[in-house]
């Protein structure tokens, strides 16, 4: 079988979506303190490494094919993808793996600065297996909320083109639960050093995410007309959300910020994810305006409720995911003159279907994350010690620092034999670094 333009576009889209995860690492890394930047980037990278292997072995099989009670696919049907050898379905399997990778990586922002890397590495495969794969199967793979599914027969057909529920609401809900399990950082809402250390990293990460999102939303497009609509909506919704976030900041705090611009873009991207192929460009602008302003308010609620969602995963991904998914009940376009949202005379059926998807997603992700998170916390522990958190998780978890300004001592020449590095890499030097590190 010759490779087609559709195959090439799907592979390109998969590469674009895979790039989003390192982009997320930069986005998150810039939002943390300097002594936790590498840890945040590593949490994204290790997610790609673990999920890539899990997806080939049993993850993809659990999201498609023969189902178990409409809840998840048989993990042994396509175990190791052996039965896809010689088939173009391997491209689809690769594309879908990138969605799983970034979904779990998104959660890491809620526990920045204080999580054990080993605990996170254990959480990733368990969460993908217990939460993500069943949810992807239920909505996309032929399960309860797919066409012909048992819940679809009751509530109607859910619209979730690129993952408003499967990716955004599931990760946002998991972030909420995991942040509660791990607990607040020391000095939360009091320590002025808990602020972004590298805003250019944040802007670069947001730009990479925006670029990759065109593949994220557009990869599954089947016609030129659909692809054009997706592309324009993926452009205009984050653009409008950025503007409304900045206006909200200006009104509430007196200044539009770079962090606000980047966060507004991400909020808009999240909001358009479920509806990118199902709303008009004008509606997409309205959606972005609502999502940007709403999420700019949502992210500050964590201080009122004492929830240390470090990098605003709940406020942006859960908040905008809910807005985008439920908005389809109002602004979804009719298909062949049938259905559509309330604004198109389609009645409440679509809103009921979207609400059902939200409830199922939050229940599955919330309960699954609670069980996994508590089990890890009760056994190996999810949180580093107070001393390690104070010194910085880059040093305590990875024995590295993101920055080495002024690290070399006077008279040290790394090219001269016998020259001694006063900040060497032996255990005592690492301990000295932890004590001497003055980064905020």
């Amino acid at each position: 079988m010759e490779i087609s333009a559709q195959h090439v576009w799907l592979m390109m889209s998969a590469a674009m979506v895979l790039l989003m995860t390192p982009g997320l690492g930069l986005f998150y890394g810039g939002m943390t303190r300097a002594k936790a930047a590498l840890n945040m980037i590593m949490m994204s990278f290790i997610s790609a490494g673990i999920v890539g292997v899990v997806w080939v072995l049993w993850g993809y099989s659990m999201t498609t094919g023969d189902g178990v009670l409409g809840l998840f696919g048989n993990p042994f049907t396509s175990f190791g993808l052996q039965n896809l050898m010689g088939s173009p379905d391997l491209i689809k399997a690769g594309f879908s793996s990138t969605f799983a990778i970034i979904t779990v990586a998104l959660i890491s922002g809620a526990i920045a600065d204080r999580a054990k890397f080993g605990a996170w590495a254990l959480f990733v495969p368990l969460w993908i297996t217990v939460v993500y794969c069943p949810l992807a199967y239920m909505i996309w793979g032929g399960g309860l909320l797919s066409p012909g599914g048992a819940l679809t027969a009751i509530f109607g057909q859910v619209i979730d083109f690129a993952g408003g529920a499967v990716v955004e609401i599931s990760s946002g809900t998991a972030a909420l639960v995991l942040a509660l399990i791990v607990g607040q950082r020391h000095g939360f809402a009091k320590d002025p050093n808990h602020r972004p250390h590298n805003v250019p990293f944040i802007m670069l990460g947001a730009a990479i995410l925006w670029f990759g999102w065109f593949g994220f939303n557009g990869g599954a497009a089947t016609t030129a007309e659909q692809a054009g609509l997706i592309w324009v909506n993926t452009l205009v919704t984050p653009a409008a959300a950025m503007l409304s976030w900045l206006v909200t900041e200006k009104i509430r705090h007196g200044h539009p910020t770079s962090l606000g611009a980047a966060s507004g873009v991400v909020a808009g991207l999240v909001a358009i994810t479920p509806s990118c192929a199902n709303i008009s460009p004008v509606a997409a602008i309205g959606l972005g305006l609502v999502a940007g302003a709403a999420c700019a308010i949502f992210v500050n609620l964590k201080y009122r409720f004492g929830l240390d969602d470090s990098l605003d995963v709940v406020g942006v991904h859960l908040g905008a995911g809910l807005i985008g998914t439920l908005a389809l009940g109002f602004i979804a376009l009719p298909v062949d003159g049938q259905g559509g949202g309330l604004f198109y005379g389609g009645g409440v059926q679509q809103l009921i279907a979207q609400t059902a998807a939200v409830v199922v997603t939050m229940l599955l992700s919330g309960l699954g994350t609670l069980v996994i998170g508590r089990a890890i916390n009760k056994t190996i522990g999810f949180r580093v010690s107070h001393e390690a958190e104070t010194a910085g998780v880059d040093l305590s978890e990875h024995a590295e620092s993101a920055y080495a300004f002024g690290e070399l001592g006077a008279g040290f020449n790394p090219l001269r034999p016998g020259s001694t590095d006063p900040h060497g890499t032996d255990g005592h030097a690492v301990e000295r670094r932890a004590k001497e590190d003055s980064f905020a």
Side-chain angles (χ1 to χ4, degrees):
M1 181 178 182
E2 293 186 358
I3 191 168
S4 68
Q6 181 68 27
H7 294 145
V8 173
W9 169 237
L10 194 59
M11 288 189 290
M12 276 299 303
S13 295
M16 292 167 68
V17 180
L18 183 60
L19 181 63
M20 290 170 66
T21 297
L24 178 71
L26 287 174
F27 183 73
Y28 279 172
M31 290 177 71
T32 64
R33 297 180 293 179
K35 54 190 177 184
L38 290 179
N39 179 255
M40 287 312 306
I41 296 172
M42 277 291 288
M43 289 171 88
S44 286
F45 267 77
I46 198 66
S47 298
I50 293 172
V51 177
V53 173
V54 167
W55 204 253
V56 169
L57 293 179
W58 69 82
Y60 176 73
S61 187
M62 289 184 66
T63 64
T64 188
D66 299 330
V68 179
L69 302 176
L71 298 174
F72 56 89
N74 185 338
F76 302 105
T77 299
S78 299
F79 188 86
L81 305 184
Q82 289 297 316
N83 61 343
L84 300 187
M85 297 287 288
S87 165
D89 286 344
L90 267 176
I91 301 175
K92 177 185 174 184
F95 177 63
S96 61
S97 72
T98 61
F99 282 68
I101 289 168
I102 195 166
T103 301
V104 72
L106 286 170
I107 303 169
S108 65
I111 54 173
D113 276 339
R114 60 200 189 279
K116 292 180 180 177
F117 188 69
W120 173 252
L122 178 58
F123 175 84
V124 169
L126 292 174
W127 192 87
I128 285 293
T129 303
V130 173
V131 177
Y132 182 85
C133 288
L135 189 59
Y137 178 76
M138 280 191 272
I139 294 179
W140 290 336
L144 295 175
L145 290 165
S146 299
L151 293 182
T152 299
I154 299 172
F155 300 109
Q157 181 57 58
V158 174
I159 299 174
D160 190 11
F161 190 84
V166 177
V167 175
E168 305 299 348
I169 296 176
S170 71
S171 60
T173 302
L176 171 63
V177 174
L178 204 57
L180 291 172
I181 291 173
V182 176
Q184 297 177 353
R185 289 168 292 177
H186 297 290
F188 169 65
K190 298 176 182 177
D191 187 347
N193 292 319
H194 283 161
R195 63 180 185 270
H197 87 283
N198 194 324
V199 177
F201 266 21
I202 298 171
M203 302 295 280
L204 177 60
I208 293 172
L209 287 170
W210 198 349
F211 169 77
W213 225 291
F214 287 100
F216 191 90
N217 284 349
T222 55
T223 66
E225 294 80 3
Q226 186 183 60
L229 179 62
I230 292 171
W231 201 99
V232 170
N233 285 347
T234 305
L235 167 70
V236 76
T237 306
M242 173 175 59
L243 297 178
S244 65
W245 188 301
L246 292 176
V247 170
T248 303
E249 274 192 329
K250 176 65 176 178
I251 293 171
R252 300 185 74 205
H253 308 297
H255 301 282
T257 67
S258 301
L259 176 60
S263 300
V265 166
V266 175
L269 290 167
V270 171
I272 195 58
T273 294
S275 59
C276 56
N278 299 91
I279 64 174
S280 72
V282 173
I285 293 174
L287 177 62
L289 292 174
V290 171
C295 290
I297 296 171
F298 291 162
V299 296
N300 288 317
L301 294 178
K302 64 182 182 182
Y303 299 108
R304 178 176 298 178
F305 294 106
L307 172 70
D308 190 4
D309 169 26
S310 310
L311 308 184
D312 301 322
V313 185
V314 178
V316 173
H317 292 274
L318 179 57
L322 288 170
I323 290 171
T325 300
L326 294 175
L328 279 159
F330 300 92
I331 59 177
L333 292 168
V335 178
D336 298 326
Q338 301 295 318
L342 280 166
F343 293 172
Y344 291 91
V348 298
Q349 189 59 55
Q350 193 62 57
L351 182 57
I352 292 172
Q354 299 305 116
T355 303
V358 166
V359 171
V360 170
T361 300
M362 294 188 72
L363 284 175
L364 176 57
S365 182
L367 292 174
T369 305
L370 180 64
V371 171
I372 297 168
R374 285 184 63 85
I376 293 174
N377 202 40
K378 290 292 185 182
T379 52
I380 65 174
F382 224 120
R383 185 165 183 155
V384 299
S385 67
H386 188 178
E387 294 74 17
E389 183 181 337
T390 301
V393 286
D394 284 357
L395 282 174
S396 65
E397 295 297 298
H398 308 290
E400 294 178 302
S401 295
Y403 305 97
F405 303 130
E407 182 178 4
L408 301 181
F412 170 61
N413 185 344
L415 301 181
R416 189 175 73 241
S419 183
T420 302
D421 180 357
H423 294 284
T425 56
D426 62 276
H428 293 294
V430 170
E431 183 178 353
R432 286 197 303 273
R433 278 177 171 173
K435 294 179 179 178
E436 296 171 1
D437 190 306
S438 61
F439 281 125

